[in-house]
Amino acid sequence: MSEKYKNKTLAEIINIEQAKNLLNKNLRKGDRGLLDYRDIKIETGTIKKAFGSATVNLGDTVVVAGVNFELGTPFIDTPNNAILLVEGEILPTASVEAEAGPPDEHEIEISRVIDRGIRESGMINFEKYVIIPGETVIKIFVDFNIINDDGNIIDAANLAAVAALATAEIPKVEYIREHIDEVNNINIKEIPRESFKVEEIPIANTIGIFDGKVLVDPDAAEEEVVDTLITFTHLSTGEICSVQLLKGGLTYEEVFKTLDVAYQKNLELREILKNNGISL
Amino acid sequence: MSNNFKRIDGRTPDQLRPYKIRAGILKNADGSAEIKLGKNWIVVGVYGPKEHFPKFEALQDRAILFCRYHMAPYSTTERKSPKPSRREIELSKVIRSALEEAVILERFPEMSIDIYIEVLQAEGSTRVASITAASVALAEAGIPMKDMVVGCSAGKVNGKIVLDIGETEDKEGEADLPIAIMPNLKKVVLLQMDGKLTHEEFKEAFEMALKGALELYEEQKRALKDLIEKMKELEGESNE
């Protein structure tokens, strides 16, 4: 048996071979076109204990994201900015390959791609959440977990993170300022809240190239067989705010071809978010 | 674009910082190189191909490429913890992924090739400078490759698209676009971007980075030719 199947189960090998055979004929599992996303379901407020949360199903990929706020000290070089921390893990429930333990390079890469999308998009007005410059700011935690991994976890996790942030409620900055002396003794969850206003919505779209053919939203088996995977994150203005070549290489022309497809698909995902009540 | 526009370090928009690549700088490594690009100083050592350990991890049909991108604690203005950061783990992955496209790993089943990239002084665009040096080190180690890999960055600073982003420009600029290419196969093997760019600006920056990479490709070849000349001289001396 070929070495590329090392550490794979028989079921995975069958799926991979099937994905390859189908893509060779321009087909995909479930009659999906090359430029079609799988069904997307977005549900917000799924974790009541968090300040904001969302669960996203993208085909059989399931991601849960939660937003939490804490008070903390700003970084020395950015005394007038709130702090954002985006971290994600693929839980051991997610697939036969997923392992418990500290994040590996794959998980770190995914988290950092989503972090860059949120950070660089201007989605969060970091200056708004400063209590005392240089001393106390709000720390914004976005944590996401992959519960089940059937591929394209970046697009799914980005949707979950964005939906959780856009529907989050943040402790009132004014209230914290007024009660700053006693605030250390108050549970942050008890502080009155207001809607967390997002200023932009970044949308990540991952594009695959198989034998020169461009496809969107690869599932886990397709991720194994495509030559190239690249993610573009777009803003509502049509600008790009993050790019990451995840796998393989591509020709100069293919860079712009995949960019155009990503742009078209970003409009589609933006519409789905809007239908779920998430828009600017 | 007006070429009168001057950047923070006096460069024109499409000008690289001063650069110099040297091959074969480490006695012990199978291949090595050093790049200086502006104040960046990066050393790369390649060890291998060698038998992979532990053996059960070895691949029967190809070699495993290992890559570590690491910044020295004194390489930045504020001391950096020597412990690998999340950023360094991500960069090690994207650099390895880029080099994997070029190295003919199938030539060395059961083996591994280790690439160690040490950033001794950092001044922006270290990931692409690292790739450029690593590719020279791999070539010096005699490891078969489909093409060289050469990297360069472009970005947007004060509304202008500029080549080879320096440290201050990276911090104050609007966008950073590092790329690495295989210049003869005309393939992109590393592509990242963060910041804000319109599609037109992205295209302009991409094409500018491409040009910069081709200039550095000439320097890669010069560094390798230099080394060969030096070896010839040494051979000549020992024959006398």
Side-chain angles (χ1 to χ4, degrees), chain A residues 1-4 6 76-77 86-88 103-109 111-113 116 120-122 200 227-228 230 232-235 238-256 259-260 263, chain B residues 55-62 78 85-94 96-98 101 127 156 171 174 177 181-183 185-199 201-204 206-207 210 214:
Chain A
M1 191 180 289
S2 164
E3 194 68 17
K4 69 185 167 195
K6 198 168 175 162
I76 298 169
D77 51 343
V86 181
E87 272 183 48
D104 62 16
E105 61 172 31
H106 180 48
E107 291 164 295
I108 289 174
E109 181 178 39
S111 307
R112 287 178 58 84
V113 170
R116 285 200 282 269
E120 303 292 337
S121 64
E200 205 12 286
D227 310 302
T228 310
I230 184 165
F232 295 94
T233 307
H234 276 94
L235 304 178
E239 288 167 297
I240 316 161
C241 71
S242 160
V243 183
Q244 182 91 346
L245 177 54
L246 300 158
K247 179 187 176 183
L250 65 179
T251 64
Y252 305 157
E253 295 75 35
E254 281 170 338
V255 171
F256 299 102
L259 173 62
D260 285 340
Y263 173 71
Chain B
K55 269 200 156 158
F56 70 88
E57 277 182 358
L59 300 178
Q60 286 167 22
D61 60 348
R62 65 193 137 98
E78 250 176 70
S85 63
R86 287 167 69 85
R87 175 180 171 275
E88 285 167 298
I89 292 169
E90 184 203 343
L91 294 192
S92 299
K93 188 256 159 189
V94 294
R96 186 194 68 227
S97 174
E101 287 298 297
R127 76 194 66 181
K156 186 179 171 190
K171 273 188 191 137
E174 294 98 89
L177 173 78
I181 58 164
M182 295 197 283
L185 296 174
K186 297 188 167 42
K187 272 192 113 176
V188 182
V189 291
L190 178 144
L191 180 60
Q192 295 184 298
M193 199 283 275
D194 66 312
K196 270 187 205 173
L197 291 179
T198 64
H199 282 206
E201 288 167 339
F202 176 82
K203 190 158 197 274
E204 190 186 341
F206 179 82
E207 274 159 11
L210 216 55
L214 290 175

Side-chain angles (χ1 to χ4, degrees), chain A residues 198-219:
Chain A
V198 296
E199 323 257 336
E200 205 12 286
I201 291 179
I203 303 276
N205 297 89
T206 302
I207 314 294
I209 303 176
F210 175 85
D211 196 17
K213 289 178 270 201
V214 173
L215 57 114
V216 304
D217 183 30
D219 66 25

Side-chain angles (χ1 to χ4, degrees), chain B residues 149-168:
Chain B
V149 179
V150 56
C152 190
S153 74
K156 186 179 171 190
V157 182
N158 296 323
K160 272 234 156 37
I161 302 298
V162 295
L163 183 67
D164 184 27
I165 302 288
E167 190 179 6
T168 327

Side-chain angles (χ1 to χ4, degrees), chain B residues 131-143:
Chain B
I131 286 202
T132 304
S135 176
V136 172
L138 283 164
E140 206 246 319
I143 289 166

